Amino acid sequence: MAKMEVKTSLLDNMIGVGDMVLLEPLNEETFINNLKKRFDHNEIYTYIGSVVISVNPYRSLPIYSPEKVEDYRNRNFYELSPHIFALSDEAYRSLRDQDKDQCILITGESGAGKTEASKLVMSYVAAVCGKGAEVNQVKEQLLQSNPVLEAFGNAKTVRNDNSSRFGKYMDIEFDFKGDPLGGVISNYLLEKSRVVKQPRGERNFHVFYQLLSGASEELLNKLKLERDFSRYNYLSLDSAKVNGIDDAANFRTVRNAMQIVGFMDHEIESVLEVVAAVLKLGNIEFKPESRVNGLDESKIKDKNEVKEICELTGIDQSVLERAFSFRTVEAKQEKVSTTLNVAQAYYARDALAKNLYSRLFSWLVNRINESIKAQTKVRKKVMGVLDIYGFEIFENADNSFEQFIINYCNEKLQQIFIELTLKEEQEEYIREDIEWTHIDYFNNAIICDLIENNTNGILAMLDEECLRPGAVTDETFLEKLNQVCATHQHFESRMSKCSRFLNDTSLPHSCFRIQHYAGKVLYQVEGFVDKNNDLLYRDLSQAMWKAGHTLVKSLFPEGNPAKINLKRPPTAGSQFKASVATLMKNLQTKNPNYIRCIKPNDKKAAHIFNEALVCHQIRYLGLLENVRVRRAGYAFRQAYEPCLERYKMLCKQTWPHWKGPARAGVEVLFNELEIPVEEYSFGRSKIFIRNPRTLFKLEDLRKQRLEDLATLIQKIYRGWKCRTHFLLMRKSQIVIAAWYRRYAQQKRYQQIKSSALVIQSYIRGWKARKILRELKHQKRCEEAATTIAAYWHGTQARRELKRLKEEARRKHAVAVIWAYWLGLKVRREYRKFFRANAGKKIYEFTIQRIVQKYFLEMKNKMPSLSPIDKNWPSRPYLFLDSTHKELKRIFHLWRCKKYRDQFTDQQKLIYEEKLEASELFKDKKALYPSSVGQPFQGAYLEINKNPKYKKLKDSIEEKIIIAEVVNKINRANGKSTSRIFLLTNNNLLLADQKSGQIKSEVPLVDVTKVSMSSQNDGFFAIHLKEGSEAASKGDFLFSSDHLIEMATKLYRTTLSQTKQKLNIEISDEFLVQFRQDKVCVKFIQGNQKNGSVPTCKRKNNRLLEVAVP
């Protein structure tokens, strides 16, 4: 499903003012305050019409994601909040759809984010253009050219850690579909003086530090380099390491980028050799030496550095040494050779280093162009991206020749910016048939003419001074400027003939000042002549041409003796002037797009907005001038369709749908709102609004109307919701009633059916009982005769038995009477002897009475029937001691039997297990006393009731004796894993606690022994029979909170099944078999970090240590 597009506007949820053209009132203070307000809310982009102002946030913001690219793709420029992607999309679509060549001009001072802005433009274009293997390769090469050029052309400065020290213009070429074909890069004015000298707090070009940090030892040895930065005079040490920059990683990135762009391995190696040679040139030092003729000459102190340079470049060492000591001057047919003193030798060395690096950089640009240029000859569309140094103004008169020509370039860019902006405004007014009014603005053509005039311009006079014979110094050049430019209104000098500057003490004698469009700049004239000459002695050129190194030789074609040209080479100023003229001519053929970069602070820190610094940049970028030019006629313009779409709710005739032309709808709308006619004009396709206040009034009316519409929508929605709810309830009531009636009828039917079945069952029962009664009566009748006969036979038998008993009783009575008679006779005969045994009889009678009294008293003093009651009545007589103890024992056994008779079979089993546990662990295991009061439950997990373990329950057919969660100790590291421990009549099983899947199954016949410590812990080991299938992974080591119960049940179950007692080993040190190894499990006392929980830790391959609190 396609993504739903939500139409928005630049004016929606606007923080501050998104387009400075709408700023009211317009002055410098409100301009800066608006930028600061947006910066504080992470809105770093602001428009001036079609110009994008970019404030460097000095941190990463989440506004460049692929989702953001899709948001701005194929959108109107003012449809979303300001963004660099909006300008990139506008430029790309104009190029693709309207066949207009585009250029994107990115300007700003060092550290303002120009390089990053150019990368964002290129990355956006790469993301939205076509796909395909060939197209992706071209995009990748274009993007990967940036790391290479940054390494060789960027450096750390006090203002920026990745400052571009050259100007770059890239033409990206596209086919008719908008897919990239290739590109061409032009570079301008590399700051080659940085190679030999860097200001304090700054670094040389990145590539030197990247090479020394990231190259392998083998590569450094091959290049004859050392990793220590302090070994090289051309590298500043105070800023060698920069926070946030990984030179080693960047070196790998650069090498990879060079391979992607198309550099061969031998080319990369040649480039690094030239870089190494430049580094080693700085280590060459000279000493003075006097000749016989009295002339001073120089000698090289240590020739080892020269030797290594010659080995890297393939130059004859003697040729290079001579080139550093002598200079040959040719004039027509004459050659004059002169010696160089120490100062001249150092000048020659630095000139060679600068020229070698500068020409290497130009070769890199040309080599990249060969790789990324379009391979087809079809007509191409072009998008140019210009990333060039911004206006530079240093304090304390530190502005020199480089700042002069940089500022000259910015003057030309400002000139073309004003011209193209005015031209664009004028063309739009003509295209829309709007009356054109003349716009007053400052034309900086007079400043450009002061610098570039071929007759009396500053560059022309500088070239004239450099070329004229005689003594030429910076002072003579300044005198010439004072003579020619004294009356120019934008030129100031202390020696000027204009009397108004004679007392200006702020102008030193060796300086001159130019009133640029961005402000006054004071230039130090020292070095102008030398830097403009940029001389390299011919001897050094010829020495380089003789190099065996192919790349070095190609960099110095003028050194070829067969092509000696006695004509003086063009000066640096004239070369740059020609390059700027070519650039301006190129830009004028394209549709311009502008990105103005602003640096918020000098600390390179986030969330800091220095208003004074920003104000300075706003002035020299001419942003206020730009706003005034833009709003000199009409401040805001918009196509009729989006204008009507946005404001149609303000008029009843246009709301909610206007069926006529959009222009007619806008006319009706503005007439209805009674907006003064002078505040707007109707173009062919757009409405033009003169004053921002009118636009803000429309926005306020729209905001109020939206609130009213929101209230109306809410009211209608609530009504619709209530009606829908009512209809739903009514429908539900009908459905419920229908279902209830159906349910009631079904229930009544079931009742009738049930009643019928009951009646049927009662009738069948009555019939069955009636038949049964009949059968029983018939049977009783048949049995009655038998019964009567049996009773008669019984009566007869009893009568006979009674007769026999009576006869026997009579015989017994005769025997008894006879016995009594015999006894009487004996007693009469022996009565005379009775008194002799009276004492014994009395004793026996007394003892009998005492015992009788003892038993009667015991009856009343008996203790309770509780088996644990230790009370027993005291012994009354000593001779009854044994009887008393035996009676106590018999009573205790009797009441124990009475107590046991109360138990159920399950309780008897539990107490039998408790008794077994007592015999196994009492006085042996410290954990046993705490388990006495705990009932043995067995099924702790309630597997039969818990649906989570239904699958596990179904897989086990036997009765489960115990089900408990235990911690299985890992054999490798001593850490524990939760497992379900199951004991059945024949097997021991382990299952996963989460899934319930059975992990291990061990027959009880394979269990040989259970080992545990004597301490208060729950660890125990189950030893398995060697060679059994279950013992393939070794024994098991567990930890449980119910150790005593589990060991007792395992012991009893094993005894019941195998008829053999299971060996229970209680020891603080025992062996456990883990696969092929035997590991000693040792229990020690220790302080636990996690309280009273024992911990297990694997000490080595043979020892597992358990710390018990």
Side-chain angles (χ1 to χ4, degrees), residues 813-967:
V814 171
V816 171
I817 293 169
W818 173 248
Y820 268 95
W821 166 246
L822 289 178
L824 178 63
K825 285 174 69 176
V826 171
R827 284 192 297 274
R828 285 177 180 177
E829 185 179 355
Y830 286 96
R831 185 175 294 170
K832 58 185 176 180
F833 303 110
F834 178 76
R835 294 179 184 270
N837 295 323
K840 181 179 178 181
K841 294 291 184 180
I842 294 171
Y843 171 76
E844 290 176 353
F845 177 78
T846 304
I847 293 299
Q848 185 179 2
R849 292 297 295 169
I850 290 173
V851 171
Q852 185 181 8
K853 182 181 179 183
Y854 167 72
F855 279 115
L856 290 174
E857 288 178 351
M858 283 293 292
K859 177 183 178 182
N860 299 324
K861 295 182 179 179
M862 292 296 271
S864 66
L865 294 179
S866 173
I868 62 174
D869 190 355
K870 301 296 182 180
N871 296 323
W872 185 251
S874 62
R875 160 179 56 80
Y877 302 101
L878 182 61
F879 76 92
L880 293 173
D881 183 69
S882 58
T883 304
H884 192 75
K885 291 180 179 178
E886 183 64 14
L887 191 60
K888 178 181 179 182
R889 186 182 70 80
I890 293 171
F891 178 79
H892 181 68
L893 292 175
W894 174 77
R895 68 181 177 183
C896 285
K897 182 179 181 304
K898 296 287 285 184
Y899 185 80
R900 289 196 299 272
D901 290 340
Q902 299 175 5
F903 294 161
T904 63
D905 292 339
Q906 185 177 3
Q907 288 176 325
K908 288 181 181 180
L909 180 62
I910 292 174
Y911 281 101
E912 286 175 2
E913 289 177 345
K914 285 287 185 178
L915 184 60
E916 193 80 51
S918 175
E919 293 175 358
L920 291 173
F921 302 107
K922 187 175 181 180
D923 299 328
K924 298 177 183 179
K925 178 71 174 174
L927 186 64
Y928 171 75
S930 62
S931 70
V932 173
Q934 299 176 357
F936 289 177
Q937 298 179 16
Y940 289 92
L941 293 184
E942 297 183 345
I943 290 180
N944 295 330
K945 298 180 181 179
N946 195 336
K948 177 180 178 182
Y949 301 115
K950 184 178 184 303
K951 183 178 179 182
L952 177 61
K953 173 181 172 295
D954 295 341
S955 64
I956 300 173
E957 298 177 354
E958 300 174 278
K959 177 184 177 182
I960 298 175
I961 298 172
I962 187 167
E964 162 66 322
V965 175
V966 299
N967 291 323

Side-chain angles (χ1 to χ4, degrees), residues 51 85 104 125 213 241 374 503 572 820 862 926 1024:
V51 178
F85 286 169
I104 298 177
V125 173
S213 299
K241 296 291 184 182
N503 297 322
Y820 268 95
M862 292 296 271
L1024 306 179

Side-chain angles (χ1 to χ4, degrees), residues 9-14 22 636 638 646-647 650 692-706:
S9 170
L10 172 71
L11 301 171
D12 289 334
N13 303 320
M14 189 167 56
L22 305 178
F636 183 77
Q638 191 175 25
R646 186 168 182 81
Y647 301 111
L650 301 180
R693 285 193 297 271
T694 304
L695 180 65
F696 294 145
K697 178 183 177 182
L698 288 173
E699 284 297 312
D700 292 339
L701 292 173
R702 178 178 181 270
K703 183 178 179 181
Q704 181 62 41
R705 180 59 178 158
L706 286 176

Side-chain angles (χ1 to χ4, degrees), residues 503-518:
N503 297 322
D504 191 352
T505 56
S506 66
L507 280 168
H509 290 283
S510 60
C511 298
F512 65 92
R513 183 187 291 154
I514 294 180
Q515 175 81 39
H516 287 284
Y517 78 93

Side-chain angles (χ1 to χ4, degrees), residues 1003-1039:
L1004 291 181
V1005 295
D1006 292 339
V1007 178
T1008 61
K1009 185 173 63 172
V1010 176
S1011 298
M1012 62 189 72
S1013 74
S1014 63
Q1015 301 186 40
N1016 191 19
D1017 63 276
F1019 284 80
F1020 67 101
I1022 297 179
H1023 302 270
L1024 306 179
K1025 184 186 297 182
E1026 293 185 2
S1028 64
E1029 182 180 354
S1032 59
K1033 293 185 179 180
D1035 302 333
F1036 293 101
L1037 183 60
F1038 300 104
S1039 172

Side-chain angles (χ1 to χ4, degrees), residues 698-827:
L698 288 173
E699 284 297 312
D700 292 339
L701 292 173
R702 178 178 181 270
K703 183 178 179 181
Q704 181 62 41
R705 180 59 178 158
L706 286 176
E707 292 177 357
D708 297 340
L709 289 174
T711 304
L712 177 63
I713 291 170
Q714 288 175 351
K715 181 182 73 173
I716 295 173
Y717 171 73
R718 291 191 185 103
W720 169 84
K721 187 176 180 182
C722 290
R723 284 192 302 275
T724 304
H725 182 64
F726 167 74
L727 293 174
L728 181 62
M729 290 181 66
R730 185 169 177 267
K731 182 179 179 182
S732 301
Q733 185 270 334
I734 294 172
V735 171
I736 292 170
W739 277 88
Y740 175 75
R741 285 193 294 271
R742 175 188 173 189
Y743 167 75
Q745 292 298 324
Q746 286 178 341
K747 188 174 181 182
R748 185 167 177 269
Y749 165 75
Q750 292 294 337
Q751 289 176 347
I752 294 173
K753 182 179 178 182
S754 177
S755 301
L757 291 174
V758 170
I759 294 171
Q760 288 175 355
S761 65
Y762 270 98
I763 292 174
R764 292 190 188 100
W766 173 77
K767 287 183 177 181
R769 285 190 296 275
K770 182 179 179 181
I771 294 171
L772 181 62
R773 281 195 300 271
E774 292 175 354
L775 291 174
K776 283 183 177 180
H777 177 72
Q778 183 181 354
K779 185 177 181 181
R780 280 197 298 271
C781 290
E782 292 174 353
E783 292 176 350
T786 306
T787 302
I788 293 170
Y791 270 97
W792 168 248
H793 293 309
T795 303
Q796 292 294 102
R798 284 190 295 275
R799 286 177 181 177
E800 181 66 22
L801 179 63
K802 185 177 180 182
R803 186 185 66 79
L804 292 173
K805 283 183 178 180
E806 186 65 29
E807 185 179 352
R809 191 179 295 114
R810 288 172 183 165
K811 291 179 181 180
H812 179 68
V814 171
V816 171
I817 293 169
W818 173 248
Y820 268 95
W821 166 246
L822 289 178
L824 178 63
K825 285 174 69 176
V826 171
R827 284 192 297 274

